[in-house]
Amino acid sequence: MLRLSVILLALLFGSAAVAEELGDDGLHKAPWMRDTFKDLAEDLAEASGEGKRLLLLFEQRGCVYCTRMHEEVFPDPDVTRTITDSYFVVQLNLYGNTEVIDFDGETLSEKAVARKWGILFTPSMMFMPESVPQGRSASEAAVAVMPGAFGRGTTLDLLTWVAQKRYLLDTDEDFQRYHARRIRERNDVSTD
């Protein structure tokens, strides 16, 4: 009985150690997030230098959907691997005061840039192209935006779709069709 209790406690505390901590700003802090000066042109250049895509992740203190993503979706090994291998993630606070320098050169607080870009939900993921034309804002240049929390499959599919630059392919398979195909493929594999 004592041995079972020790194992259960180890599992309990072991899983708690995996959970991401909250920063002083009340936002989840994942090991794959980058702490930058939030100069988006510099962040994009650094991401490109590492062969990664810039991903802007908006969250807010007390966001139950952000917590769900950090507890149920982001820890999935396939999701974590895709983020780590393919993305340079910069976290932004929907109500934060830290200055952000947009690609168009405008400097605004995080909360003002969220309003400028029309970010209404947290979490929201904004995927940047490999280069941004001069004078364009992040919202004008984004190749995809995922507003809100989604499950593991949808999140993984969007991360993969953007990383593979499928939005540039001259096919009829937009993200919705790609995602539907991936769902069918996962269902076919799981029924075998």
Side-chain angles (χ1 to χ4, degrees):
M1 185 66 163
L2 178 61
R3 186 174 185 182
L4 179 59
S5 297
V6 169
I7 291 170
L8 289 174
L9 282 173
L11 288 173
L12 175 68
F13 288 111
S15 64
V18 173
E20 295 159 0
E21 294 183 23
L22 294 178
D24 293 339
D25 57 3
L27 305 182
H28 294 85
K29 302 302 175 191
W32 38 261
M33 290 178 178
R34 305 300 182 98
D35 188 18
T36 73
F37 291 111
K38 296 183 178 29
D39 179 330
L40 300 185
E42 286 182 6
D43 293 341
L44 183 64
E46 192 169 344
S48 295
E50 294 180 17
K52 297 184 177 190
R53 301 298 297 272
L54 178 60
L55 169 57
L56 305 176
L57 174 62
F58 274 93
E59 298 186 289
Q60 67 176 301
R61 177 187 296 269
C63 170
V64 296
Y65 302 107
C66 300
T67 298
R68 178 177 165 246
M69 293 295 286
H70 283 279
E71 290 180 354
E72 299 174 19
V73 177
F74 294 143
D76 176 87
D78 292 332
V79 173
T80 300
R81 183 175 36 261
T82 303
I83 291 172
T84 303
D85 292 349
S86 301
Y87 290 96
F88 185 101
V89 181
V90 175
Q91 183 183 55
L92 298 168
N93 184 343
L94 187 67
Y95 297 108
N97 291 314
T98 300
E99 286 189 342
V100 177
I101 303 173
D102 198 350
F103 291 107
D104 62 10
E106 188 172 15
T107 301
L108 298 165
S109 68
E110 291 166 296
K111 62 186 166 193
V113 85
R115 283 192 302 274
K116 174 184 174 182
W117 297 343
I119 302 295
L120 302 175
F121 303 99
T122 56
S124 280
M125 294 189 281
M126 184 179 286
F127 297 85
M128 294 294 104
E130 293 175 300
S131 65
V132 174
Q134 189 171 1
R136 300 211 44 196
S137 70
S139 62
E140 294 170 326
V143 299
V145 177
M146 180 183 269
F150 288 85
R152 175 208 169 277
T154 304
T155 302
L156 180 60
D157 287 351
L158 186 58
L159 289 165
T160 303
W161 187 77
V162 171
Q164 293 177 351
K165 302 178 202 171
R166 298 188 73 81
Y167 55 90
L168 293 175
L169 298 178
D170 189 22
T171 68
D172 289 333
E173 192 177 55
D174 58 12
F175 175 70
Q176 294 302 325
R177 288 177 179 86
Y178 171 79
H179 181 47
R181 178 173 59 81
R182 294 292 299 134
I183 290 170
R184 286 190 307 274
E185 291 170 358
R186 282 191 289 271
N187 288 338
D188 288 345
V189 169
S190 65
T191 58
D192 289 342

